[in-house]
Amino acid sequence: MVQAIPKSLTLAEFLKLPETKPAREYIDGTIIQKPMPQGKHSVIQGELSAAINAILKPAKVARVFTELRCTFGGRSIVPDSCIFVWERIPRDEDGTIANVFRASPDWTIEILSPDQSQTRVIKNILYCLQHQTQMSWLIDPREETVLVYRPQQQVKLFDEPHQVLPVLPFAKDFKLTVEALFGWLLE
């Protein structure tokens, strides 16, 4: 169950708190702890992130980050997976990847956990889309469906095994069907 911490803090105060597992998010002045990922969530997150990185990272097109805190527009959220195009990955002066990401991802992926509020996840997706995220996937392992959100477009449902999931132009070389995505749960 998602637990809201009653104490109200500013975003700056929240960001000074130690990280927790599972992560807490700062949304509209409220601190909300995400549920602990379970088996199906963990498998899909790991396999999907590795599959996307295998295609996009070697060519320095984009990179997937899992459970990465992204702070932008007055919120601090932790998508299950987020993809940044290579040029937008925050870096330190020495060229290494920064610890702090103060930008919205280009693409987010959320995987519903059994005790997670779908409405709360959708609110985060819509928030990201209002802050320059180009696409979000909402994966429901129980229903074996993927909802695809894009700014100013109708949500699209993917639940047929042969359907190829849409990606952004920078990820055109990454191909994944609904069947392959949920097939990872059988391995």
Side-chain angles (χ1 to χ4, degrees), residues 19-185:
E19 288 291 345
T20 61
K21 289 203 179 218
R24 293 180 296 204
E25 297 180 312
Y26 182 87
I27 300 169
D28 299 327
T30 304
I31 299 170
I32 300 167
Q33 188 157 24
K34 293 181 71 169
M36 181 62 79
Q38 296 180 7
K40 291 178 184 187
H41 180 287
S42 181
V43 167
I44 290 172
Q45 183 180 28
E47 295 288 339
L48 181 56
S49 297
I52 294 170
N53 268 339
I55 300 297
L56 302 181
K57 194 173 102 181
K60 296 185 178 182
V61 170
R63 183 174 187 149
V64 178
F65 297 87
T66 59
E67 304 296 329
L68 175 70
R69 177 165 306 287
C70 298
T71 303
F72 58 92
R75 287 189 183 188
S76 187
I77 62 172
V78 183
D80 293 325
S81 296
C82 56
I83 298 90
F84 281 82
V85 295
W86 202 262
E87 298 77 30
R88 291 191 65 242
I89 297 171
R91 297 191 179 271
D92 291 333
E93 288 181 18
D94 64 359
T96 59
I97 292 174
N99 280 327
V100 177
F101 278 55
R102 293 195 177 272
S104 60
D106 294 290
W107 172 13
T108 63
I109 299 171
E110 295 284 3
I111 305 155
L112 279 180
S113 294
D115 294 336
Q116 194 168 27
S117 164
Q118 184 172 0
T119 301
R120 189 175 311 271
V121 175
I122 291 170
K123 283 181 178 182
N124 270 355
I125 287 171
L126 295 175
Y127 187 80
C128 288
L129 295 174
Q130 292 168 353
H131 289 84
Q132 301 181 339
T133 296
Q134 300 170 45
M135 183 173 64
S136 293
W137 287 2
L138 176 56
I139 300 171
D140 186 340
R142 186 180 336 191
E143 298 292 329
E144 294 193 357
T145 62
V146 180
L147 295 170
V148 177
Y149 295 79
R150 291 181 186 236
Q152 310 302 317
Q153 292 185 20
Q154 183 173 349
V155 177
K156 293 187 180 174
L157 172 70
F158 293 82
D159 63 353
E160 297 294 327
H162 66 279
Q163 289 179 297
V164 176
L165 295 168
V167 296
L168 293 166
F170 68 79
K172 66 185 181 323
D173 293 334
F174 178 72
K175 310 275 189 242
L176 183 68
T177 63
V178 171
E179 181 176 43
L181 172 67
F182 295 109
W184 286 323
L185 298 175

